[in-house]
C-alpha cells in the first residue's frame, strides 16, 4: 500500500464526527484556494491551518447537539412515565412540586394528605427512594429529578 492509499483508508474509516467534518472542510478549503490561486503550497497550508479550527468548531457543535438530544429524550421519557401514573401517584409528584423540591422529610410526608399506597407504588417504580439529609439528622424521601421536572412542566 502506498502513502495515498493509507491516507485514504484512514480518512474513510474515521468515526470521530469532528475529525470527519474537519477533513472534508479542510479539503474543500484547500481545493478552493488551489482553484483560486493555482498554488498548491498555499492550498496545502490553507488546509493544514484550517483543519484544527474546523475540528474544534465541529466537535463543539456536535457535542452540544448530542447533549440536547439526550436531555430531550430523558424529558420525553419522564413525561411519558408521568402520563402512565395513577391520579394518586400524580398527586404525590405534585406535592413535591408544591413543596419546592425533589426531597422531602418523612415528617413532611407523614403530615401530608398523600395516599401511602401511591408512595409505595412510586418506590416500586424506582421513582421515589429514601435517603438521609446531608447532616445525617433526618431521613428523607427523594423523588427522581426527571420526574420532578416533568411534574413542574405539568403544573
Amino acid at each position: 500500500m502506498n502513502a495515498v492509499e493509507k491516507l485514504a483508508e484512514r480518512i474513510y474509516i474515521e468515526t470521530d464526527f469532528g475529525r470527519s467534518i474537519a477533513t472534508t472542510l479542510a479539503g474543500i478549503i484547500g481545493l478552493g484556494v488551489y482553484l483560486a490561486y493555482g498554488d498548491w503550497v498555499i492550498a496545502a497550508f490553507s488546509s493544514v491551518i484550517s483543519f484544527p479550527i474546523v475540528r474544534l468548531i465541529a466537535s463543539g457543535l456536535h457535542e452540544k447537539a448530542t447533549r440536547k438530544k439526550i436531555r430531550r429524550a430523558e424529558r420525553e421519557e419522564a413525561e411519558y412515565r408521568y402520563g402512565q401514573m395513577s391520579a394518586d401517584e400524580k398527586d404525590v409528584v405534585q406535592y413535591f412540586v408544591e413543596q419546592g423540591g425533589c426531597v422531602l422529610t418523612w415528617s413532611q410526608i407523614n403530615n401530608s394528605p398523600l395516599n401511602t399506597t401511591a408512595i409505595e407504588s412510586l418506590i416500586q417504580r424506582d421513582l421515589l427512594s429514601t435517603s438521609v439529609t446531608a447532616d445525617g439528622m433526618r431521613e428523607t424521601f427523594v423523588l427522581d429529578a426527571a420526574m420532578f421536572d416533568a411534574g413542574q412542566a405539568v403544573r
Side-chain angles (χ1 to χ4, degrees):
M1 243 190 218
N2 65 22
V4 175
E5 288 175 351
K6 286 182 182 180
L7 178 63
E9 181 181 336
R10 187 167 181 193
I11 288 172
Y12 286 110
I13 64 169
E14 182 60 52
T15 58
D16 180 34
F17 182 83
R19 187 175 290 166
S20 297
I21 296 297
T23 302
T24 302
L25 290 179
I28 291 170
I29 290 168
L31 179 61
V33 169
Y34 179 75
L35 292 174
Y37 298 106
D39 188 346
W40 68 270
V41 174
I42 294 174
F45 277 117
S46 298
S47 291
V48 169
I49 291 169
S50 65
F51 177 82
I53 297 167
V54 173
R55 182 176 180 200
L56 286 173
I57 293 168
S59 294
L61 292 173
H62 183 255
E63 214 174 284
K64 184 177 179 180
T66 302
R67 282 193 312 267
K68 187 176 180 180
K69 183 179 179 181
I70 290 170
R71 280 193 299 266
R72 186 179 335 113
E74 288 173 351
R75 184 177 60 248
E76 287 173 0
E77 176 65 21
E79 289 171 356
Y80 172 77
R81 291 181 80 180
Y82 183 85
Q84 299 299 309
M85 289 182 179
S86 69
D88 287 339
E89 290 172 327
K90 289 178 181 177
D91 288 343
V92 173
V93 172
Q94 288 305 315
Y95 187 76
F96 276 85
V97 171
E98 290 166 7
Q99 297 302 312
C102 59
V103 177
L104 296 176
T105 63
W106 277 58
S107 61
Q108 288 174 301
I109 295 293
N110 289 337
N111 295 329
S112 73
L114 298 174
N115 182 331
T116 56
T117 307
I119 292 171
E120 283 299 318
S121 178
L122 290 176
I123 290 171
Q124 293 304 313
R125 289 180 182 246
D126 290 328
L127 296 173
L128 191 62
S129 60
T130 57
S131 185
V132 179
T133 57
D135 61 6
M137 300 299 288
R138 290 179 279 174
E139 293 183 10
T140 61
F141 281 98
V142 181
L143 181 65
D144 178 72
M147 187 54 57
F148 178 80
D149 293 341
Q152 280 188 313
V154 169
R155 189 167 190 233

